Amino acid sequence: MSSRSGPQSGQTALLFLPGDSLLHRANPLTSLIFMLWMISAAAVLPTIGTTILIVAGVALSFAMGVGPRVTKRLVITMLPLLVALLVVHGFLVSRPDFIPLVGPLTYSPTGLEYAAQVVTRIGAMLTASLIFVTTTHPGDILKSLDQRGVSPGVSYLIASPLLLIEPFSERAKAIRDAQRARGLDLTSTFKARFKALPALLIPLITLALSDLDHRASILNSRAFRAQKHRTVIDAPPDDRFQVWLRRVLIVLAIAQLGIPLLWR
Amino acid sequence: MLDVASVDFAYPGGNPVLSDIAFSVRRGEVLAIVGRNGAGKSTLLRLLNGLRQPASGTVTVDGLNTADTPVHVLAHHIGTVFQAPEQQIFNAKVHDEIAFGPRQQGLTGAALEARIAEVLGRIGLADAAQLHPLDLDAAARRLVALGSVLAMKPPVLLLDEPQRGLDANAMARLEAIVAEEAEAGTCVILVCHDMDFVARRASRVLALAQGRIAADLPTLDFFTSDELTRKAGVEVPDPVELARFLGLPPVLTPSALAAKWLADHRSA
Ligand SMILES: Nc1ncnc2c1ncn2[C@@H]1O[C@H](COP(=O)(O)OP(=O)(O)O)[C@@H](O)[C@H]1O
Ligand SMILES: [Mg+2]
């Protein structure tokens, strides 16, 4: 739909890069379905196919002006996985076709083949996702769902995790700044960083929970349901245990997301 | 105490936010930074406490160049109270929240407890020491954030919009604390949109307009210049206007105005 620019867009953890390419201009739903197609192709193709998919995907990303960012993320994520899988399946897991290499070292062609298959499959799926998130702003997905007449409540639910990333990372930064300005040391030893964790995570979690509360109350409010398109959601049964389980899971999810953000 | 020398700054990939900023602040001064939204006030505070580094020029705090000093070390020399206290409160008790800063400075035992008790008294929350900070109302929470910084006894104090969200009671506490700190020789710098507060408490005004210093004057001189207040986009406090209307010498506060008026009428 629309491309975005401005001083703020490059500042956040969003991978989105403003631009004017074909994919930037395409409807976000088209991009979404393109990504889903690529992922499903990666799921069924043999190694040679997934390899071609990666090469084609990276070429596409360069054509769309997001090549360096996609490639960098791809390499950072895939390289450790590639090494680990090749070592484990090529040399360590015992297979019938072990062939002596040098000295005590043996290797297995089927093991290597298996590792290559897994790595290229995950790599192709990751490439597809990266192309999508670098060329589509979450806010635009929300708008185009609205245009399609999808109920505001439902599209809000779909897009809000994506929209949350931006304020979330900005807030993580604000919290880090506030605590450093109070003397919190985030630069020295691992132990110091570890001890600093509560000062960073507790405000983040507190604020995120109050946000979610706020979001839930918006969804429940009349303004949201009084729109033209309505969805009747038959509320499934719920109980206190599930409520608490969800809270714990949210806290864990926020912590897992938050730690790399805060330590970056 | 604090020295800013020909500083320029731009956020990465953005337009210049601050250009050619230079000023110094002495002990015991209360400097108000005023200006329209987006003028660069918060950015300037971030340059002072080392969270951002100038593109050119230098910032010196208590003899330390911010470019060579880690933020958490600088924090012992310059305390910052941010706009959103929720971003820094993380302890389950007001007492522990206040203790956070002094503990970082190595204070323990009786000395630590004495420091906490003193601060709790000053912010008027001695009875709330064992409460959860998030159970307090917004005004009290802001005072906790202020207290947690006061407890470190920094020689320079930065306050970003400290009056926002305070009720009359908390406001009186804040004003008293600003006055006490200045009296004790702390250099207080506050960003503020409440011009009555500025008129009552600031000794000097630094007005920013489009990232440049539009005025750096004693408070009275600033508010009596129509050109400068207009350029900075701030309202002139009522007593200043009223004094001018009545043909009295310029004043900043209602009580000063009343005194002038009475003096005028007695002599007449
Ligand atoms: N993190 C940031 N990244 C990019 N630009 C910013 C950032 N923070 C503020 N700005 C820009 O810098 C200018 C000054 O902002 P700020 O210092 O917050 O002004 P003030 O506090 O006077 O309202 C504004 O144009 C604002 O958009
Ligand atoms: Mg501001």
Side-chain angles (χ1 to χ4, degrees):
Chain A
M1 197 162 57
S2 63
S3 61
R4 294 178 177 227
S5 54
Q8 306 275 15
S9 34
Q11 305 286 323
T12 69
L14 278 188
L15 290 172
F16 177 73
L17 264 182
D20 197 32
S21 75
L22 196 65
L23 275 175
H24 283 91
R25 279 179 282 123
N27 187 288
L29 294 181
T30 315
S31 305
L32 182 69
I33 290 174
F34 174 73
M35 175 186 80
L36 292 177
W37 168 78
M38 208 168 143
I39 288 176
S40 65
V44 294
L45 285 171
T47 307
I48 176 74
T50 47
T51 309
I52 291 171
L53 215 50
I54 293 175
V55 173
V58 168
L60 178 69
S61 74
F62 274 94
M64 298 295 123
V66 292
R69 184 166 289 195
V70 167
T71 314
K72 187 179 153 206
R73 292 279 162 166
L74 191 64
V75 170
I76 289 174
T77 318
M78 293 310 295
L79 207 60
L81 193 65
L82 176 72
V83 172
L85 280 174
L86 284 182
V87 169
V88 169
H89 290 281
F91 302 97
L92 298 178
V93 176
S94 162
R95 291 183 189 265
D97 63 340
F98 259 144
I99 297 170
L101 198 59
V102 277
L105 222 55
T106 56
Y107 83 101
S108 149
T110 57
L112 288 180
E113 217 168 86
Y114 175 78
Q117 189 188 42
V118 174
V119 168
T120 55
R121 180 158 295 160
I122 297 173
M125 291 179 177
L126 185 65
T127 309
S129 323
L130 283 171
I131 292 173
F132 177 66
V133 297
T134 48
T135 58
T136 314
H137 195 282
D140 291 338
I141 304 169
L142 187 63
K143 280 188 232 150
S144 76
L145 286 170
D146 261 358
Q147 262 177 359
R148 284 285 171 302
V150 175
S151 128
V154 170
S155 53
Y156 197 73
L157 282 180
I158 293 172
S160 64
L162 292 167
L163 285 169
L164 263 175
I165 298 171
E166 193 159 16
F168 190 81
S169 68
E170 243 157 47
R171 188 174 285 161
K173 201 172 158 296
I175 292 169
R176 212 170 31 180
D177 282 354
Q179 303 298 43
R180 282 164 74 210
R182 281 213 293 172
L184 192 71
D185 181 4
L186 292 176
T187 55
S188 58
T189 60
F190 182 79
K191 196 178 150 218
R193 283 162 156 241
F194 190 78
K195 272 175 68 183
L197 218 47
L200 299 170
L201 278 178
I202 291 173
L204 194 67
I205 291 168
T206 312
L207 285 166
L209 286 177
S210 74
D211 253 20
L212 290 176
D213 243 17
H214 182 64
R215 271 154 203 262
S217 67
I218 291 176
L219 277 181
N220 290 332
S221 73
R222 237 193 79 234
F224 242 93
R225 283 180 283 123
Q227 303 278 337
K228 204 164 69 192
H229 305 282
R230 295 179 192 219
T231 20
V232 180
I233 303 168
D234 273 338
D238 205 359
D239 57 40
R240 285 198 64 76
F241 172 70
Q242 288 190 53
V243 171
W244 275 105
L245 184 63
R246 284 201 297 269
R247 282 179 189 162
V248 169
L249 289 174
I250 287 169
V251 168
L252 279 176
I254 292 168
Q256 288 158 2
L257 274 171
I259 290 170
L261 273 177
L262 292 164
W263 274 2
R264 193 175 38 187
Chain B
M1 183 55 32
L2 184 125
D3 191 63
V4 179
S6 51
V7 159
D8 297 300
F9 178 80
Y11 286 102
N15 298 323
V17 174
L18 294 171
S19 314
D20 207 16
I21 302 292
F23 62 94
S24 331
V25 193
R26 279 173 285 114
R27 295 177 165 279
E29 268 194 294
V30 180
L31 177 76
I33 302 177
V34 305
R36 294 190 169 82
N37 276 334
K41 304 181 295 293
S42 299
T43 305
L44 180 54
L45 293 193
R46 273 179 225 131
L47 284 164
L48 300 184
N49 63 22
L51 284 173
R52 296 278 179 174
Q53 291 299 326
S56 63
T58 52
V59 178
T60 315
V61 178
D62 206 5
L64 299 167
N65 186 335
T66 60
D68 314 326
T69 318
V71 176
H72 68 272
V73 175
L74 216 50
H76 300 296
H77 304 266
I78 184 164
T80 313
V81 182
F82 289 86
Q83 279 191 32
E86 290 80 5
Q87 283 173 352
Q88 56 183 61
I89 286 174
F90 73 101
N91 286 290
K93 284 182 194 166
V94 170
H95 172 278
D96 300 346
E97 193 63 37
I98 305 284
F100 176 76
R103 273 201 186 114
Q104 310 270 81
Q105 295 176 309
L107 216 60
T108 51
L112 178 65
E113 290 309 319
R115 178 79 62 92
I116 296 167
E118 178 205 324
V119 167
L120 284 171
R122 289 178 75 189
I123 60 175
L125 290 174
D127 295 338
Q130 300 305 316
L131 297 183
H132 197 296
L134 298 181
D135 285 338
L136 302 173
D137 63 31
R141 229 178 288 155
R142 295 221 56 161
L143 289 176
V144 171
L146 174 62
S148 80
V149 172
L150 286 178
M152 295 174 80
K153 293 206 181 293
V156 183
L157 192 59
L158 304 183
L159 309 172
D160 200 348
E161 299 267 344
Q163 85 294 345
R164 185 175 286 179
L166 295 192
D167 51 37
N169 203 349
M171 189 72 187
R173 292 269 174 201
L174 170 69
E175 290 205 33
I177 288 168
V178 169
E180 288 159 19
E181 287 296 316
E183 185 70 22
T186 307
C187 153
V188 183
I189 299 176
L190 43 95
V191 166
C192 191
H193 283 296
D194 179 345
M195 291 306 135
D196 293 317
F197 181 47
V198 172
R200 283 196 303 273
R201 287 297 161 210
S203 54
R204 183 175 146 203
V205 173
L206 184 99
L208 287 181
Q210 279 142 20
R212 292 179 178 276
I213 295 183
D216 181 359
L217 289 171
T219 309
L220 190 63
D221 297 350
F222 172 73
F223 281 123
T224 46
S225 162
D226 282 337
E227 191 203 331
L228 292 178
T229 50
R230 203 175 323 117
K231 204 166 165 195
V234 300
E235 278 189 21
V236 178
D238 288 340
V240 178
E241 297 251 57
L242 202 52
R244 189 182 309 166
F245 178 75
L246 295 174
L248 292 169
V251 292
L252 286 169
T253 60
S255 55
L257 180 66
K260 282 262 169 27
W261 190 80
L262 281 177
D264 220 35
H265 279 246
R266 286 213 180 100
S267 61

